[in-house]
Coordinates of all heavy atoms in Angstrom, one line a residue:
D89 N -33.3 -35.7 25.7 CA -31.8 -35.7 25.3 C -31.6 -35.0 24.2 O -32.4 -34.8 23.3 CB -31.5 -37.2 25.2 CG -29.9 -37.4 25.5 OD1 -29.5 -36.9 26.7 OD2 -29.3 -37.9 24.8
R90 N -30.3 -34.5 23.9 CA -30.0 -33.7 22.9 C -29.7 -34.6 21.5 O -29.3 -35.7 21.7 CB -28.7 -32.9 23.0 CG -28.9 -31.9 24.2 CD -27.4 -31.1 24.3 NE -27.3 -30.9 25.6 CZ -26.5 -31.6 26.5 NH1 -25.9 -32.7 26.0 NH2 -26.4 -31.3 27.7
L91 N -30.1 -34.1 20.4 CA -29.8 -34.7 19.2 C -28.8 -34.0 18.4 O -28.6 -32.9 18.4 CB -31.1 -34.7 18.3 CG -32.3 -35.5 18.8 CD1 -33.5 -35.2 18.0 CD2 -32.0 -36.9 18.8
S92 N -28.0 -34.9 17.6 CA -26.9 -34.3 16.8 C -27.5 -33.6 15.5 O -28.4 -34.2 15.0 CB -25.9 -35.4 16.4 OG -25.0 -35.1 15.5
S93 N -27.0 -32.5 15.1 CA -27.4 -31.8 14.1 C -26.8 -32.3 12.7 O -27.2 -32.0 11.6 CB -27.3 -30.2 14.2 OG -25.9 -30.0 14.3
G94 N -25.6 -33.0 12.9 CA -24.9 -33.6 11.7 C -24.5 -32.5 10.8 O -23.8 -31.5 11.2
M95 N -24.9 -32.6 9.5 CA -24.4 -31.7 8.4 C -25.3 -30.6 8.2 O -25.3 -29.8 7.2 CB -24.2 -32.4 7.1 CG -23.0 -33.4 7.0 SD -21.5 -32.5 7.1 CE -21.4 -32.1 5.3
R96 N -26.4 -30.4 9.1 CA -27.3 -29.3 8.9 C -26.7 -27.9 8.9 O -25.9 -27.6 9.7 CB -28.4 -29.3 10.0 CG -29.6 -28.3 9.8 CD -30.4 -28.4 10.9 NE -30.8 -29.7 11.2 CZ -31.4 -30.1 12.3 NH1 -31.8 -29.2 13.3 NH2 -31.8 -31.3 12.7
G97 N -27.1 -27.2 7.9 CA -26.5 -25.7 7.8 C -24.9 -25.8 7.4 O -24.3 -24.6 7.5
S98 N -24.4 -26.8 6.8 CA -23.0 -26.7 6.4 C -22.7 -26.1 5.3 O -21.6 -25.6 4.8 CB -22.6 -28.3 6.3 OG -23.2 -28.9 5.2
Y99 N -23.7 -25.7 4.3 CA -23.5 -25.0 3.0 C -24.1 -23.6 3.3 O -25.3 -23.4 2.8 CB -24.2 -25.8 1.9 CG -23.5 -27.2 1.7 CD1 -24.2 -28.4 2.1 CD2 -22.2 -27.3 1.2 CE1 -23.6 -29.5 1.8 CE2 -21.6 -28.6 1.1 CZ -22.4 -29.7 1.4 OH -21.7 -30.9 1.3
G100 N -23.5 -22.8 3.9 CA -24.0 -21.4 4.1 C -23.5 -20.4 3.1 O -23.0 -20.8 2.0
K101 N -23.7 -19.2 3.6 CA -23.3 -18.2 2.6 C -21.7 -17.8 2.8 O -21.1 -18.2 3.9 CB -24.0 -16.9 3.0 CG -25.5 -16.9 2.8 CD -26.1 -15.5 3.3 CE -27.5 -15.7 3.1 NZ -28.2 -14.4 3.6
P102 N -21.0 -17.5 1.8 CA -19.5 -17.3 1.8 C -19.4 -16.1 2.6 O -20.1 -15.1 2.6 CB -19.2 -17.1 0.4 CG -20.4 -16.7 -0.3 CD -21.5 -17.2 0.3
I103 N -18.3 -16.1 3.5 CA -18.0 -15.0 4.2 C -16.5 -14.5 4.0 O -15.7 -15.4 3.5 CB -17.9 -15.4 5.8 CG1 -17.0 -16.6 6.0 CG2 -19.4 -15.8 6.4 CD1 -16.7 -16.9 7.5
G104 N -16.4 -13.2 4.1 CA -15.0 -12.6 3.8 C -14.9 -12.2 2.3 O -15.8 -12.5 1.5
V105 N -13.9 -11.5 2.1 CA -13.5 -11.0 0.7 C -12.1 -11.4 0.4 O -11.2 -11.4 1.2 CB -13.7 -9.4 0.7 CG1 -13.4 -9.0 -0.8 CG2 -15.1 -9.0 1.2
S106 N -11.9 -11.6 -0.9 CA -10.6 -11.9 -1.2 C -10.3 -11.2 -2.6 O -11.3 -10.8 -3.3 CB -10.3 -13.5 -1.4 OG -11.1 -14.0 -2.4
A107 N -9.0 -11.2 -3.1 CA -8.6 -10.7 -4.3 C -7.6 -11.5 -5.0 O -6.7 -12.0 -4.3 CB -8.1 -9.2 -4.1
R108 N -7.6 -11.6 -6.2 CA -6.5 -12.3 -6.9 C -5.4 -11.3 -7.3 O -5.6 -10.2 -7.9 CB -7.0 -12.9 -8.3 CG -8.0 -14.0 -8.1 CD -8.5 -14.4 -9.4 NE -9.5 -15.5 -9.2 CZ -9.2 -16.8 -9.5 NH1 -8.1 -17.1 -10.0 NH2 -10.1 -17.6 -9.3
V109 N -4.2 -11.6 -6.7 CA -3.1 -10.7 -6.8 C -2.0 -11.4 -7.6 O -1.7 -12.7 -7.4 CB -2.7 -10.3 -5.4 CG1 -1.5 -9.4 -5.5 CG2 -3.8 -9.6 -4.6
D110 N -1.5 -10.7 -8.6 CA -0.3 -11.4 -9.4 C 1.1 -11.1 -8.6 O 1.2 -10.2 -7.7 CB -0.2 -10.7 -10.8 CG -1.4 -11.0 -11.6 OD1 -2.0 -12.1 -11.4 OD2 -1.8 -10.1 -12.3
I111 N 2.0 -11.9 -8.9 CA 3.4 -11.7 -8.4 C 3.9 -10.2 -8.9 O 4.0 -10.0 -10.0 CB 4.3 -12.8 -8.8 CG1 3.8 -14.3 -8.1 CG2 5.6 -12.5 -8.3 CD1 4.6 -15.4 -8.7
G112 N 4.4 -9.5 -8.0 CA 5.0 -8.3 -8.4 C 4.0 -7.2 -8.2 O 4.3 -6.1 -8.6
Q113 N 2.7 -7.4 -8.1 CA 1.7 -6.4 -8.1 C 1.8 -5.6 -6.8 O 2.0 -6.1 -5.7 CB 0.3 -7.1 -8.2 CG -0.8 -6.1 -8.4 CD -2.2 -6.9 -8.6 OE1 -2.1 -7.9 -8.9 NE2 -3.3 -6.1 -8.5
V114 N 1.6 -4.3 -7.0 CA 1.5 -3.4 -5.8 C 0.2 -3.6 -4.9 O -0.9 -3.6 -5.5 CB 1.6 -1.9 -6.2 CG1 1.5 -1.0 -5.1 CG2 2.9 -1.7 -7.0
L115 N 0.6 -3.8 -3.6 CA -0.8 -4.0 -2.9 C -1.1 -2.9 -2.1 O -2.2 -2.5 -1.8 CB -0.4 -5.1 -1.8 CG -0.2 -6.5 -2.3 CD1 0.3 -7.3 -1.0 CD2 -1.2 -7.1 -3.1
L116 N -0.1 -1.9 -1.8 CA -0.4 -0.8 -1.0 C 0.6 0.4 -1.4 O 1.7 0.1 -1.5 CB -0.2 -1.1 0.5 CG -0.5 0.0 1.5 CD1 -2.0 0.3 1.6 CD2 0.0 -0.5 2.9
S117 N 0.1 1.6 -1.6 CA 0.9 2.8 -1.7 C 0.6 3.8 -0.7 O -0.6 4.1 -0.3 CB 0.7 3.4 -3.2 OG 1.0 2.5 -4.1
V118 N 1.7 4.4 -0.2 CA 1.5 5.3 0.9 C 2.4 6.5 0.5 O 3.5 6.5 0.0 CB 2.0 4.9 2.3 CG1 1.8 5.8 3.3 CG2 1.2 3.5 2.7
R119 N 1.7 7.8 0.8 CA 2.5 9.0 0.5 C 2.6 9.7 1.9 O 1.5 9.9 2.6 CB 1.7 9.9 -0.4 CG 2.5 11.2 -0.8 CD 1.8 11.9 -1.9 NE 0.4 12.2 -1.5 CZ -0.5 12.8 -2.3 NH1 -0.2 13.0 -3.5 NH2 -1.7 13.0 -1.9
A120 N 3.7 10.0 2.4 CA 3.9 10.7 3.6 C 5.2 11.7 3.6 O 6.0 11.6 2.6 CB 4.1 9.8 4.8
K121 N 5.3 12.4 4.5 CA 6.4 13.4 4.6 C 7.7 12.5 5.0 O 7.5 11.5 5.5 CB 6.3 14.4 5.6 CG 5.1 15.4 5.3 CD 4.9 16.4 6.2 CE 3.8 17.4 5.9 NZ 3.6 18.5 6.7
D122 N 8.9 13.1 4.6 CA 10.1 12.4 4.8 C 10.4 12.1 6.3 O 10.9 11.0 6.7 CB 11.2 13.1 4.2 CG 11.3 13.2 2.6 OD1 10.6 12.3 2.1 OD2 11.8 14.1 2.2
V123 N 9.9 13.0 7.2 CA 10.1 12.9 8.6 C 9.4 11.6 9.1 O 9.8 11.0 10.2 CB 9.8 14.2 9.3 CG1 10.8 15.3 8.9 CG2 8.4 14.5 9.2
N124 N 8.4 11.4 8.5 CA 7.6 10.2 8.9 C 8.0 8.8 8.3 O 7.2 7.9 8.4 CB 6.1 10.4 8.7 CG 5.7 11.6 9.6 OD1 6.1 11.8 10.6 ND2 4.7 12.3 8.9
E125 N 9.1 8.7 7.6 CA 9.5 7.6 6.8 C 9.6 6.4 7.7 O 9.0 5.3 7.4 CB 10.8 7.8 6.1 CG 11.3 6.6 5.3 CD 12.6 6.9 4.6 OE1 12.9 8.0 4.6 OE2 13.0 5.8 4.1
A126 N 10.2 6.5 8.9 CA 10.4 5.4 9.8 C 9.1 4.8 10.3 O 8.9 3.6 10.4 CB 11.3 5.7 11.0
H127 N 8.2 5.7 10.6 CA 6.8 5.4 11.1 C 6.1 4.5 10.0 O 5.3 3.6 10.2 CB 6.0 6.4 11.5 CG 6.7 7.2 12.7 ND1 7.0 6.6 14.0 CD2 7.3 8.4 12.8 CE1 7.5 7.5 14.7 NE2 7.8 8.6 14.0
V128 N 6.2 5.0 8.8 CA 5.4 4.4 7.7 C 5.9 3.0 7.3 O 5.2 2.0 7.2 CB 5.3 5.3 6.5 CG1 4.9 4.5 5.2 CG2 4.7 6.6 6.7
I129 N 7.3 2.9 7.4 CA 7.8 1.5 7.1 C 7.5 0.6 8.2 O 7.2 -0.5 7.9 CB 9.3 1.8 6.9 CG1 9.7 2.5 5.6 CG2 10.1 0.4 7.0 CD1 11.2 2.8 5.4
E130 N 7.5 1.0 9.5 CA 7.2 0.2 10.6 C 5.7 -0.3 10.5 O 5.2 -1.5 10.7 CB 7.4 0.8 12.0 CG 7.1 0.0 13.1 CD 7.8 -1.3 13.2 OE1 8.9 -1.6 12.6 OE2 7.3 -2.2 14.1
A131 N 4.9 0.7 10.1 CA 3.3 0.2 10.0 C 3.1 -0.7 8.9 O 2.4 -1.6 9.0 CB 2.6 1.5 9.8
I132 N 3.8 -0.4 7.9 CA 3.6 -1.4 6.6 C 4.2 -2.8 7.1 O 3.7 -4.0 6.7 CB 4.3 -1.0 5.4 CG1 3.4 0.4 4.9 CG2 4.3 -1.9 4.2 CD1 4.1 1.1 3.7
R133 N 5.2 -2.8 7.8 CA 6.1 -4.1 8.1 C 5.1 -4.9 9.0 O 5.0 -6.1 8.9 CB 7.3 -3.7 8.9 CG 8.2 -4.9 9.2 CD 9.3 -4.7 10.2 NE 8.6 -4.4 11.5 CZ 8.4 -5.4 12.3 NH1 8.4 -6.6 12.0 NH2 7.9 -5.0 13.6
R134 N 4.4 -4.2 10.0 CA 3.5 -4.7 10.9 C 2.2 -5.3 10.1 O 1.7 -6.3 10.4 CB 3.1 -3.9 12.0 CG 4.2 -3.6 13.0 CD 3.6 -2.7 14.2 NE 4.7 -2.4 15.1 CZ 4.6 -1.8 16.2 NH1 3.3 -1.5 16.5 NH2 5.6 -1.5 16.9
G135 N 1.7 -4.4 9.2 CA 0.5 -4.9 8.5 C 0.8 -5.9 7.4 O -0.1 -6.7 7.1
K136 N 2.1 -6.2 6.9 CA 2.2 -7.1 6.0 C 2.0 -8.6 6.5 O 2.0 -9.5 5.7 CB 3.5 -7.0 5.1 CG 4.8 -7.4 6.0 CD 6.1 -7.2 5.2 CE 7.3 -7.7 6.0 NZ 8.5 -7.6 5.2
F137 N 2.1 -8.7 7.7 CA 1.8 -10.1 8.4 C 0.3 -10.6 8.2 O 0.0 -11.7 8.4 CB 2.2 -10.0 9.9 CG 3.6 -9.9 10.0 CD1 4.2 -8.7 10.7 CD2 4.6 -10.8 9.8 CE1 5.4 -8.5 11.0 CE2 5.9 -10.5 10.0 CZ 6.3 -9.5 10.5
K138 N -0.6 -9.6 7.8 CA -1.8 -10.0 7.6 C -2.1 -10.6 6.3 O -3.3 -11.1 6.0 CB -2.7 -8.7 7.8 CG -2.8 -8.1 9.2 CD -3.4 -9.0 10.0 CE -3.3 -8.4 11.7 NZ -4.0 -9.3 12.6
F139 N -1.2 -10.4 5.4 CA -1.2 -11.0 4.0 C -0.5 -12.3 4.0 O 0.5 -12.4 4.5 CB -0.7 -10.0 3.0 CG -1.4 -8.7 3.0 CD1 -0.9 -7.6 3.6 CD2 -2.6 -8.6 2.1 CE1 -1.7 -6.3 3.5 CE2 -3.3 -7.3 2.0 CZ -2.8 -6.3 2.7
A140 N -1.2 -13.2 3.1 CA -0.4 -14.4 3.0 C 0.9 -14.2 2.0 O 0.8 -13.4 1.2 CB -1.3 -15.5 2.4
G141 N 1.9 -14.9 2.1 CA 2.9 -14.9 1.3 C 4.0 -14.0 1.7 O 4.0 -13.6 2.9
R142 N 5.1 -13.6 0.8 CA 6.0 -12.7 1.2 C 5.8 -11.4 0.3 O 5.4 -11.2 -0.7 CB 7.4 -13.2 0.7 CG 7.9 -14.4 1.5 CD 9.1 -14.9 1.0 NE 8.9 -15.3 -0.4 CZ 9.7 -16.3 -1.1 NH1 10.7 -16.7 -0.5 NH2 9.5 -16.5 -2.3
Q143 N 6.0 -10.3 1.1 CA 5.9 -8.9 0.6 C 7.1 -8.2 0.8 O 7.9 -8.4 1.7 CB 4.8 -8.1 1.2 CG 3.3 -8.6 0.9 CD 3.0 -9.9 1.6 OE1 3.3 -10.1 2.8 NE2 2.2 -10.7 1.0
K144 N 7.4 -7.3 -0.1 CA 8.6 -6.5 0.0 C 8.1 -4.9 0.2 O 7.1 -4.6 -0.2 CB 9.4 -6.4 -1.4 CG 10.0 -7.6 -1.6 CD 10.7 -7.5 -3.1 CE 11.3 -8.8 -3.5 NZ 12.1 -8.6 -4.8
I145 N 8.9 -4.2 0.9 CA 8.5 -2.7 1.2 C 9.5 -2.0 0.3 O 10.8 -2.1 0.5 CB 8.8 -2.4 2.6 CG1 7.7 -3.2 3.5 CG2 8.5 -1.0 2.9 CD1 7.8 -3.1 4.9
L146 N 9.1 -1.2 -0.6 CA 9.9 -0.4 -1.5 C 9.6 0.9 -1.4 O 8.5 1.4 -1.2 CB 9.7 -0.9 -2.9 CG 9.8 -2.3 -3.3 CD1 9.5 -2.5 -4.7 CD2 11.3 -2.8 -3.2
K147 N 10.7 1.8 -1.4 CA 10.6 3.2 -1.2 C 10.8 3.8 -2.7 O 11.8 3.5 -3.4 CB 11.6 3.8 -0.3 CG 11.5 5.3 -0.2 CD 12.5 5.9 0.6 CE 12.4 7.5 0.6 NZ 13.5 8.0 1.2
S148 N 9.8 4.4 -3.2 CA 9.9 5.0 -4.6 C 10.9 6.2 -4.7 O 11.1 6.9 -3.7 CB 8.5 5.5 -5.0 OG 8.5 6.1 -6.3
L149 N 11.5 6.3 -5.9 CA 12.4 7.5 -6.1 C 11.5 8.6 -6.8 O 12.1 9.6 -6.9 CB 13.4 7.0 -7.0 CG 14.3 5.8 -6.7 CD1 15.2 5.5 -7.7 CD2 15.1 6.2 -5.4
K150 N 10.3 8.4 -6.8 CA 9.4 9.4 -7.4 C 9.0 10.4 -6.3 O 9.0 10.1 -5.1 CB 8.2 9.0 -8.2 CG 8.6 7.9 -9.2 CD 9.3 8.4 -10.4 CE 9.5 7.4 -11.3 NZ 10.4 8.0 -12.5
W151 N 8.4 11.6 -6.7 CA 7.9 12.5 -5.7 C 6.4 12.2 -5.6 O 5.6 12.4 -6.5 CB 8.1 14.0 -6.2 CG 7.4 15.1 -5.3 CD1 6.2 15.4 -5.3 CD2 8.1 15.8 -4.3 NE1 5.9 16.3 -4.4 CE2 7.2 16.6 -3.7 CE3 9.5 15.7 -3.9 CZ2 7.5 17.5 -2.7 CZ3 9.8 16.6 -2.9 CH2 8.8 17.4 -2.3
G152 N 6.0 11.8 -4.4 CA 4.5 11.4 -4.2 C 4.0 10.4 -5.4 O 4.7 9.3 -5.5
F153 N 3.0 10.6 -5.9 CA 2.4 9.7 -6.7 C 2.6 10.3 -8.3 O 1.9 9.9 -9.3 CB 0.9 9.4 -6.6 CG 0.6 8.7 -5.4 CD1 -0.5 9.2 -4.5 CD2 1.3 7.5 -4.9 CE1 -0.6 8.4 -3.2 CE2 1.1 6.8 -4.0 CZ 0.1 7.3 -3.1
T154 N 3.6 11.2 -8.5 CA 3.9 11.8 -9.8 C 4.8 10.8 -10.5 O 5.4 9.9 -10.0 CB 4.4 13.2 -9.5 OG1 5.7 13.1 -9.0 CG2 3.4 14.1 -8.7
K155 N 5.0 11.3 -11.8 CA 6.0 10.5 -12.6 C 7.4 11.2 -12.7 O 8.3 10.7 -13.4 CB 5.4 10.5 -14.1 CG 5.3 11.9 -14.7 CD 4.8 11.6 -16.1 CE 4.5 13.1 -16.7 NZ 3.9 13.0 -18.0
Y156 N 7.6 12.2 -11.7 CA 8.9 12.9 -11.8 C 9.8 12.4 -10.6 O 9.3 12.1 -9.5 CB 8.7 14.4 -11.6 CG 7.8 15.0 -12.7 CD1 6.4 15.4 -12.4 CD2 8.2 14.9 -14.0 CE1 5.7 15.8 -13.4 CE2 7.5 15.4 -15.0 CZ 6.1 15.9 -14.7 OH 5.3 16.3 -15.8
N157 N 11.1 12.3 -10.8 CA 12.0 12.0 -9.7 C 12.0 13.2 -8.7 O 11.5 14.4 -9.0 CB 13.4 11.8 -10.2 CG 13.5 10.6 -11.0 OD1 12.9 9.7 -10.8 ND2 14.4 10.5 -12.0
R158 N 12.5 12.9 -7.5 CA 12.4 13.9 -6.4 C 13.1 15.1 -6.8 O 12.6 16.3 -6.6 CB 12.8 13.2 -5.1 CG 12.0 12.1 -4.6 CD 12.6 11.5 -3.4 NE 12.5 12.3 -2.2 CZ 11.5 12.3 -1.3 NH1 10.6 11.5 -1.7 NH2 11.5 13.1 -0.4
E159 N 14.3 15.1 -7.2 CA 15.2 16.2 -7.6 C 14.5 17.1 -8.8 O 14.5 18.2 -8.8 CB 16.7 15.7 -8.0 CG 17.4 15.0 -6.9 CD 17.0 13.6 -6.9 OE1 16.7 13.0 -7.8 OE2 17.2 13.0 -5.8
D160 N 14.1 16.3 -9.8 CA 13.5 17.0 -10.9 C 12.2 17.6 -10.6 O 12.0 18.8 -11.0 CB 13.1 15.8 -12.0 CG 14.4 15.3 -12.6 OD1 15.5 15.9 -12.5 OD2 14.3 14.1 -13.1
Y161 N 11.3 17.1 -9.6 CA 10.2 17.7 -9.3 C 10.5 19.1 -8.6 O 9.9 20.1 -8.8 CB 9.4 16.9 -8.4 CG 8.1 17.3 -7.9 CD1 6.9 17.3 -8.7 CD2 7.9 18.1 -6.8 CE1 5.6 17.8 -8.3 CE2 6.7 18.7 -6.4 CZ 5.6 18.4 -7.2 OH 4.4 19.0 -6.8
V162 N 11.4 19.0 -7.6 CA 11.7 20.3 -7.0 C 12.3 21.3 -7.7 O 11.9 22.4 -7.7 CB 12.8 19.9 -5.8 CG1 13.3 21.3 -5.1 CG2 12.1 19.1 -4.7
R163 N 13.1 20.9 -8.8 CA 13.8 21.8 -9.7 C 12.6 22.4 -10.7 O 12.7 23.6 -10.8 CB 14.8 21.1 -10.5 CG 15.4 22.0 -11.6 CD 16.3 21.2 -12.5 NE 15.8 20.1 -13.1 CZ 14.9 20.0 -14.1 NH1 14.5 21.2 -14.6 NH2 14.4 18.9 -14.6
M164 N 11.7 21.7 -11.1 CA 10.7 22.1 -11.9 C 9.7 23.0 -11.2 O 9.2 24.0 -11.8 CB 9.9 20.9 -12.6 CG 10.9 20.4 -13.6 SD 10.0 19.1 -14.8 CE 9.2 18.0 -13.7
R165 N 9.5 22.8 -10.0 CA 8.5 23.7 -9.1 C 9.1 25.0 -9.0 O 8.4 26.0 -9.0 CB 8.1 23.0 -7.8 CG 7.1 22.0 -7.7 CD 5.8 22.6 -8.3 NE 5.1 23.5 -7.5 CZ 4.2 23.3 -6.5 NH1 3.7 22.1 -6.4 NH2 3.8 24.3 -5.9
R166 N 10.4 25.0 -8.6 CA 11.2 26.2 -8.4 C 11.3 27.0 -9.7 O 11.1 28.2 -9.7 CB 12.6 26.0 -7.9 CG 12.5 25.6 -6.5 CD 13.9 25.5 -5.8 NE 13.9 25.1 -4.5 CZ 14.7 24.3 -3.8 NH1 15.8 24.0 -4.5 NH2 14.6 23.9 -2.6
A167 N 11.5 26.4 -10.9 CA 11.4 27.2 -12.1 C 10.3 27.5 -12.7 O 10.0 28.2 -13.6 CB 12.2 26.1 -13.1
G168 N 9.1 27.1 -12.0 CA 7.6 27.4 -12.5 C 7.2 26.6 -13.7 O 6.2 26.9 -14.2
E169 N 7.9 25.5 -14.0 CA 7.4 24.5 -15.1 C 6.3 23.8 -14.6 O 5.5 23.3 -15.5 CB 8.6 23.6 -15.4 CG 9.9 24.2 -16.0 CD 11.0 23.3 -16.1 OE1 10.7 22.1 -16.5 OE2 12.2 23.7 -16.1
L170 N 6.1 23.6 -13.1 CA 5.0 22.9 -12.6 C 4.1 23.7 -11.8 O 4.7 24.7 -11.1 CB 5.3 21.6 -11.8 CG 6.1 20.5 -12.6 CD1 6.6 19.5 -11.6 CD2 5.1 19.8 -13.6
S171 N 2.8 23.6 -11.8 CA 2.0 24.4 -11.0 C 1.0 23.5 -10.1 O 0.7 22.4 -10.6 CB 1.3 25.4 -11.7 OG 0.4 24.6 -12.6
A172 N 0.6 23.9 -8.9 CA -0.3 23.1 -8.1 C -1.7 22.9 -8.7 O -2.2 24.1 -9.2 CB -0.4 23.7 -6.8
D173 N -2.1 21.9 -8.9 CA -3.4 21.6 -9.5 C -4.2 20.5 -8.7 O -4.3 19.4 -8.9 CB -3.2 21.0 -10.9 CG -4.6 20.9 -11.7 OD1 -5.5 21.5 -11.4 OD2 -4.5 20.0 -12.6
G174 N -4.8 21.2 -7.7 CA -5.6 20.3 -6.7 C -5.7 20.9 -5.4 O -5.5 22.2 -5.2
N175 N -5.9 20.1 -4.4 CA -6.0 20.6 -3.0 C -4.7 21.1 -2.4 O -3.8 20.4 -2.5 CB -6.7 19.7 -2.1 CG -8.1 19.4 -2.7 OD1 -8.6 20.2 -3.3 ND2 -8.8 18.3 -2.2

């Protein structure tokens, strides 16, 4: 006949990964072309259900991951104040 294993093996190795996140901390940043804005927002909206708590989706006023506003960046690139430095 079968025997009960009881608490055998109840203290195993931890599984999964977690992170401590503060309120207001950025969880995800995405850079995409303007024509794909609706697709990016929908993808993030679907993905935020995988995180506990409430998340906000914010659109930045900056150009990509730079510190310049969109209008300022375009103006400075045209004026030659900025140059491409990377890929």
Side-chain angles (χ1 to χ4, degrees):
D89 206 57
R90 291 182 222 99
L91 293 174
S92 173
S93 62
M95 291 287 289
R96 184 183 312 168
S98 62
Y99 301 105
K101 296 178 182 176
I103 59 171
V105 180
S106 65
R108 291 180 183 251
V109 180
D110 296 325
I111 294 174
Q113 183 175 345
V114 176
L115 298 179
L116 179 71
S117 294
V118 178
R119 182 174 59 185
K121 294 182 179 180
D122 291 338
V123 296
N124 296 324
E125 178 182 351
H127 298 292
V128 170
I129 290 175
E130 177 62 16
I132 294 174
R133 187 193 70 78
R134 290 182 182 190
K136 74 180 187 177
F137 295 114
K138 299 293 184 177
F139 295 99
R142 291 178 300 200
Q143 288 77 35
K144 293 180 185 176
I145 300 174
L146 301 175
K147 181 182 176 189
S148 175
L149 300 176
K150 307 292 183 190
W151 180 277
F153 294 131
T154 66
K155 61 183 178 181
Y156 304 111
N157 290 334
R158 297 173 72 87
E159 300 84 19
D160 296 339
Y161 183 86
V162 172
R163 179 185 50 77
M164 290 192 302
R165 277 302 293 262
R166 287 187 181 145
E169 298 175 31
L170 295 175
S171 61
D173 184 24
N175 295 342

